[in-house]
């Protein structure tokens, strides 16, 4: 689960990381009071969306920049008016962009240098890794691509945790001296503590700046949390912003279905994450393109199968459906009854190919044969994928 910059910064502050003063706002009254709380100081107006690259982004009406430094409250009001409810397109949003529904007003600082600092879960080495660079700021992706040697990587063992020598090593590698080593160590310690205690998968500060007055401050922050650990962290779960999530994905999570929307046109309904991945791969290998990842899980009931069909069909890009069930704990007859029930409730107006295998397969096939649901049965996964790809292609 992702959160907004202002939320990530408020959390960081609770863990002892210094941030500039700031106020979030979602409507005209809140904007009014945020701007008057900030006062006449130089202010930065920042669009809050769950995507980076805002500074270099452009709104769909041509207004440039989702991060604007303004001189006074009048300019702050102007920038806010331009950004609120406008759609911001950045390198990370995709061409459709994201509607800005929250703004953040924060003090501008005199930047002497921008650094990058993050802790991220590295699945390959099964460790957390600190990543830092003297080349922080809006071009960090180019730094990572073109000059990866400028990234400092320091793995942290989950059993040992972060120690003061790690902090000193990274501080020296970034060129800090004297008092700044202490400031930096406090920041890295807070960053790591937040990452660890809140079950985050990423906490990133970019930029971490050194101001002209010699102070280190987090100017932008991003945090992503492990959805499976959210039950332990109601405070984090409360930060969820449903405006930033795909309504289909929200509906799926309400029905305990694992669903991720993708760009293709063949919807998949599968039990088991591994089988779902394999199904997406085989669709691709026959020249098709999956519209989603959908795992109905091991114990789905008829209601969940119906909900799954509704979610799939609410995606206007879907031009065919492939149901691929390997019954283990899941019984094929339950899925079959779910398909029949779903067909009564929702209009399945695209080709449907069903491959059932495993527990109670004969009972499942019989239910489908005797129903009046228009579908094509398939014996194997490759046959099923080939048929659905052909059917979708022939409807173009
Ligand atoms: P994004 O990474 O989404 O583009 P940032 O918050 O990192 O957004 O802002 C982009 C750039 O704007 C920063 O690298 C920094 O140079 C500048 N900036 C952001 N916040 C401030 C601030 N409070 N004071 C001065 N400059 C800022
Ligand atoms: Mg940034």
């Amino acid at each position: 689960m992702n959160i907004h910059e202002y939320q990530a910064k408020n959390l960081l502050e609770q863990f002892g990381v210094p941030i500039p003063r700031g106020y979030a706002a979602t409507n005209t009254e809140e904007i009014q009071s945020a701007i008057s709380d900030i006062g006449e100081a130089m202010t930065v107006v920042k669009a809050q969306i769950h995507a980076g690259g805002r500074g270099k982004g452009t709104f769909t009406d041509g207004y440039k920049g989702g991060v604007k430094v303004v001189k006074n409250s009048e300019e702050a009001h102007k920038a806010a008016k331009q950004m609120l409810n406008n759609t911001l397109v950045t390198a990370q949003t995709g061409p459709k962009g994201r509607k800005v529904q929250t703004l953040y007003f924060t003090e501008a600082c005199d930047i002497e240098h921008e650094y990058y600092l993050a802790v991220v879960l590295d699945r390959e080495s099964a460790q957390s890794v600190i990543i830092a660079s003297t080349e922080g700021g809006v071009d960090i992706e180019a730094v990572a691509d073109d000059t990866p040697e400028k990234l400092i990587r320091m793995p942290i063992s989950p059993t040992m945790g972060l120690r003061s020598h790690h902090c000193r090593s990274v501080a020296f590698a970034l060129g800090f001296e004297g008092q700044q080593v202490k400031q930096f160590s406090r920041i890295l310690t807070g960053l790591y503590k937040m990452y660890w205690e809140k079950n985050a998968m990423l906490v990133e500060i970019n930029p971490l700046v050194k101001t002209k007055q010699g102070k280190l401050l987090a100017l932008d922050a991003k945090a992503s949390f492990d959805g499976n650990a959210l039950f332990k962290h109601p405070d984090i779960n409360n930060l969820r912003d449903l405006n930033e999530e795909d309504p289909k994905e929200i509906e799926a999570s309400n029905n305990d279905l694992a669903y991720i929307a993708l760009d293709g046109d063949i919807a998949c309904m599968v039990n088991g994450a591994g089988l779902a991945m394999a199904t997406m791969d085989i669709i691709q290998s026959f020249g098709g393109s999956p519209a989603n990842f959908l795992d109905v899980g091991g114990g789905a009931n008829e209601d969940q199968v119906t909900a799954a069909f509704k979610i799939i069909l609410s995606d206007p890009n879907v031009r065919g459906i492939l149901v691929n069930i390997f019954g283990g704990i899941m019984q094929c007859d339950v899925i079959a009854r779910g398909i029949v029930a779903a067909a009564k409730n929702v209009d399945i107006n695209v080709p449907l190919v069903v491959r059932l295998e495993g527990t109670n397969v004969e009972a499942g096939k019989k239910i489908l044969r005797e129903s009046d649901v228009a579908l094509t049965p398939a014996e194997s996964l490759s046959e099923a994928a080939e048929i659905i790809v052909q059917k979708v292609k022939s409807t173009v």
Side-chain angles (χ1 to χ4, degrees):
M1 187 194 89
N2 297 328
I3 59 174
H4 287 297
E5 170 203 357
Y6 79 94
Q7 297 168 322
K9 274 157 78 173
N10 288 345
L11 273 169
L12 280 169
E13 192 177 34
Q14 289 169 29
F15 284 89
V17 176
I19 60 165
R21 194 166 58 93
Y23 307 93
T26 58
N27 56 43
T28 327
E29 280 143 42
E30 286 173 11
I31 288 173
Q32 182 71 46
S33 77
I35 293 176
S36 79
D37 285 345
I38 276 281
E40 286 300 318
M42 289 274 280
T43 302
V44 190
V45 184
K46 307 183 82 172
Q48 300 293 292
I49 52 171
H50 285 183
R54 296 162 302 163
K56 286 182 152 184
T58 306
F59 288 88
T60 43
D61 67 354
Y63 184 74
K64 284 219 174 341
V67 175
K68 273 264 151 76
V69 183
V70 296
K71 286 202 232 28
N72 51 41
S73 59
E74 192 188 328
E75 282 189 15
H77 275 289
K78 269 194 203 150
K81 209 167 170 205
Q82 293 277 1
M83 289 188 201
L84 193 68
N85 295 323
N86 202 349
T87 301
L88 179 59
V89 182
T90 80
Q92 294 180 16
T93 60
K96 279 200 202 129
R98 289 277 176 83
K99 189 170 168 193
V100 176
Q101 304 187 60
T102 305
L103 296 175
Y104 188 52
F105 298 85
T106 181
E107 282 174 337
C109 19
D110 281 337
I111 301 173
E112 186 175 298
H113 194 84
E114 303 196 1
Y115 301 86
Y116 178 92
L117 182 64
V119 190
V120 60
L121 179 69
D122 177 22
R123 290 173 192 277
E124 223 162 282
S125 64
Q127 289 186 325
S128 306
V129 180
I130 293 167
I131 301 176
S133 179
T134 52
E135 311 301 307
V138 293
D139 293 321
I140 190 69
E141 279 85 7
V143 174
D145 286 344
D146 304 338
T147 47
E149 69 279 3
K150 290 189 174 160
L151 296 184
I152 300 155
R153 292 173 60 90
M154 167 136 346
I156 304 294
S157 143
T159 49
M160 299 296 283
L162 183 81
R163 299 297 165 105
S164 53
H165 69 86
H166 295 124
C167 296
R168 281 196 300 276
S169 301
V170 183
F172 294 144
L174 291 174
F176 291 123
E177 288 174 351
Q179 183 55 32
Q180 272 153 13
V181 176
K182 268 198 195 143
Q183 279 189 57
F184 179 81
S185 297
R186 235 186 101 201
I187 290 172
L188 181 51
T189 306
L191 176 74
Y192 187 83
K193 202 158 185 260
M194 168 175 156
Y195 165 88
W196 188 258
E197 288 184 5
K198 300 294 182 187
N199 290 105
M201 301 203 296
L202 164 81
V203 184
E204 176 191 86
I205 302 175
N206 184 37
L208 169 74
V209 299
K210 180 164 76 185
T211 65
K212 297 228 164 84
Q213 297 75 32
K215 203 171 167 216
L216 302 186
L217 281 174
L219 285 206
D220 183 18
K222 196 184 247 181
S224 177
F225 300 90
D226 183 348
N228 294 315
L230 285 176
F231 73 96
K232 290 196 276 186
H233 306 292
D235 58 331
I236 302 294
N237 203 31
N238 280 340
L239 302 178
R240 197 168 163 194
D241 182 353
L242 296 181
N243 288 327
E244 291 288 326
E245 295 179 26
D246 184 324
K248 298 194 289 303
E249 291 178 9
I250 297 169
E251 183 60 23
S253 79
N254 290 341
N255 284 284
D256 283 330
L257 300 163
Y259 171 91
I260 296 164
L262 300 169
D263 293 335
D265 52 13
I266 299 178
C268 323
M269 191 161 105
V270 189
N271 66 322
L275 191 60
M277 299 294 275
T279 306
M280 286 163 37
D281 282 350
I282 202 156
I283 288 174
Q284 299 250 18
S285 82
F286 279 104
S289 173
N292 66 275
F293 168 98
L294 172 60
D295 174 9
V296 294
N301 56 35
E302 283 178 34
D303 290 345
Q304 281 173 295
V305 175
T306 307
F309 268 103
K310 278 193 183 152
I311 293 164
I312 282 174
L313 287 164
S314 68
D315 178 350
N317 294 329
V318 166
R319 305 223 316 277
I321 302 172
L322 171 54
V323 176
N324 180 27
I325 300 296
F326 195 93
I329 300 168
M330 167 62 83
Q331 297 169 359
C332 291
D333 54 327
V334 171
I335 282 285
R337 270 194 292 275
I339 295 172
V340 175
K344 286 203 184 101
N345 276 299
V346 285
D347 178 22
I348 304 177
N349 52 4
V350 293
L352 169 65
V353 175
V354 179
R355 180 253 182 168
L356 298 177
E357 191 55 85
T359 311
N360 295 356
V361 63
E362 287 314 321
K365 285 182 175 169
K366 186 159 177 280
I367 291 167
L368 293 179
R369 253 192 330 269
E370 290 170 358
S371 76
D372 53 5
V373 182
L375 60 84
T376 311
E379 286 303 316
S380 69
L381 175 51
S382 54
E383 185 194 344
E386 195 172 1
I387 297 174
I388 192 66
V389 170
Q390 270 170 9
K391 282 185 180 289
V392 165
K393 285 207 168 131
S394 68
T395 62
V396 182

